[in-house]
């Protein structure tokens, strides 16, 4: 007999490509290894296994995403915290921008924001307006919320802002759709760390 905890773990965790193929028959875009250091961010001329995996992901996305005149939107989400959404969104933003694409990364996790902390920007940009401020205040300019090339990164950021009492309602608003449409005029990629 299997212990219940072993049964639950074996049915809810995907640890290998074989586990994934058992439940998903679609194409795989890439396989990202775990980084050896906390808060790892790819740098120019980085030839680590993580950087190479994100380059493969970038190439495969080029084949999978439809060709269109507007920016490509990519949403990072998962079922539980700690699965690597912020790590993946930051490093994909970096690898896309290193290929001369204009990229904006939006901290769309309004309940548990991690973007500024991960990038060590809390002390320098915590008071700057973020997404929740933009959504709650239609008079606030989008340009006031964009952090450009912070700490030498080659992509722009809009952090989550203050934690609002009604995050779902703010994200469902017409204002959010308008913000995304406005960003499409200036960026090739809009990444959402949700």
């Amino acid at each position: 007999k299997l212990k219940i905890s072993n049964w639950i773990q074996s049915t809810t965790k995907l640890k290998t490509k074989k586990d994934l193929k058992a439940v998903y028959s679609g194409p795989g875009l890439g396989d990202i290894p775990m980084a050896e250091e906390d808060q790892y961010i790819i740098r120019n001329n980085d030839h680590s296994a993580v950087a190479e995996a994100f380059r493969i992901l970038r190439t495969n996305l080029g084949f999978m995403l439809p060709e269109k005149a507007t920016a490509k939107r990519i949403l990072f989400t998962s079922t539980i915290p700690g699965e690597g959404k912020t790590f993946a969104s930051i490093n994909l933003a970096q690898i896309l921008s290193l290929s001369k694409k204009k990229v904006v990364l939006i901290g769309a996790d309004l309940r548990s924001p991690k973007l500024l902390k991960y990038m060590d920007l809390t002390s320098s940009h915590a008071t700057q307006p973020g997404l929740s401020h933009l959504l709650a205040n239609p008079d606030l300019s989008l340009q006031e919320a964009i952090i450009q090339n912070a700490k030498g990164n080659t992509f722009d950021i809009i952090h989550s802002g203050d934690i609002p009492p009604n995050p779902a309602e703010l994200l469902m608003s017409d204002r959010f759709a308008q913000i995304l449409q406005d960003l499409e005029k200036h960026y090739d990629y809009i990444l959402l760390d949700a």
Side-chain angles (χ1 to χ4, degrees):
K1 285 184 174 181
L2 284 176
K3 291 182 180 178
I4 291 295
S5 62
N6 289 345
W7 179 80
I8 290 171
Q9 184 175 5
S10 69
T11 59
T12 60
K13 301 257 183 196
L14 300 175
K15 294 183 178 182
T16 67
K17 286 182 184 179
K18 183 179 175 183
D19 295 338
L20 181 61
K21 287 181 180 185
V23 295
Y24 177 70
S25 61
L29 295 178
D31 188 3
I32 308 296
M34 291 194 63
E36 292 181 14
E37 60 187 79
D38 289 342
Q39 298 176 312
Y40 180 83
I41 300 176
I42 295 168
R43 297 289 172 222
N44 199 11
N45 298 319
D46 186 339
H47 297 289
S48 67
V50 172
E52 292 303 321
F54 274 100
R55 285 186 183 94
I56 291 168
L57 177 59
R58 176 185 63 201
T59 300
N60 290 340
L61 278 171
F63 289 111
M64 296 300 292
L65 292 174
E67 286 295 323
K68 57 182 184 175
T70 60
K72 295 166 177 65
R73 298 178 191 176
I74 301 172
L75 174 71
F76 291 82
T77 188
S78 69
T79 56
I80 59 172
E83 291 186 322
K85 296 176 294 295
T86 301
F87 162 79
S89 63
I90 289 170
N91 284 296
L92 184 59
Q94 183 74 337
I95 208 75
L96 286 167
S97 64
L98 287 172
S99 67
K100 307 297 184 218
K101 298 295 183 189
K102 294 229 1 124
V103 178
V104 62
L105 173 57
I106 301 173
D109 185 346
L110 300 184
R111 286 190 177 96
S112 181
K114 303 272 188 295
L115 194 56
L116 287 183
K117 185 176 180 186
Y118 191 103
M119 298 185 71
D120 194 26
L121 296 171
T122 305
S123 61
S124 58
H125 290 85
T127 60
Q128 184 167 353
L131 181 60
S132 64
H133 303 108
L134 286 170
L135 295 173
N137 182 358
D139 296 328
L140 192 62
S141 160
L142 182 57
Q143 290 304 315
E144 292 177 70
I146 296 175
I147 302 169
Q148 295 183 327
N149 302 337
K151 288 211 167 184
N153 293 302
T154 53
F155 57 92
D156 294 342
I157 301 165
I158 298 174
H159 72 92
S160 300
D162 295 336
I163 298 172
N166 58 341
E169 289 75 14
L170 288 176
L171 291 171
M172 291 170 37
S173 70
D174 291 339
R175 172 84 169 139
F176 187 46
Q178 185 60 54
I179 288 168
L180 293 175
Q181 288 175 2
D182 291 345
L183 290 170
E184 283 184 342
K185 298 171 189 170
H186 305 285
Y187 293 95
D188 299 310
Y189 289 89
I190 300 170
L191 306 184
L192 299 120
D193 177 22

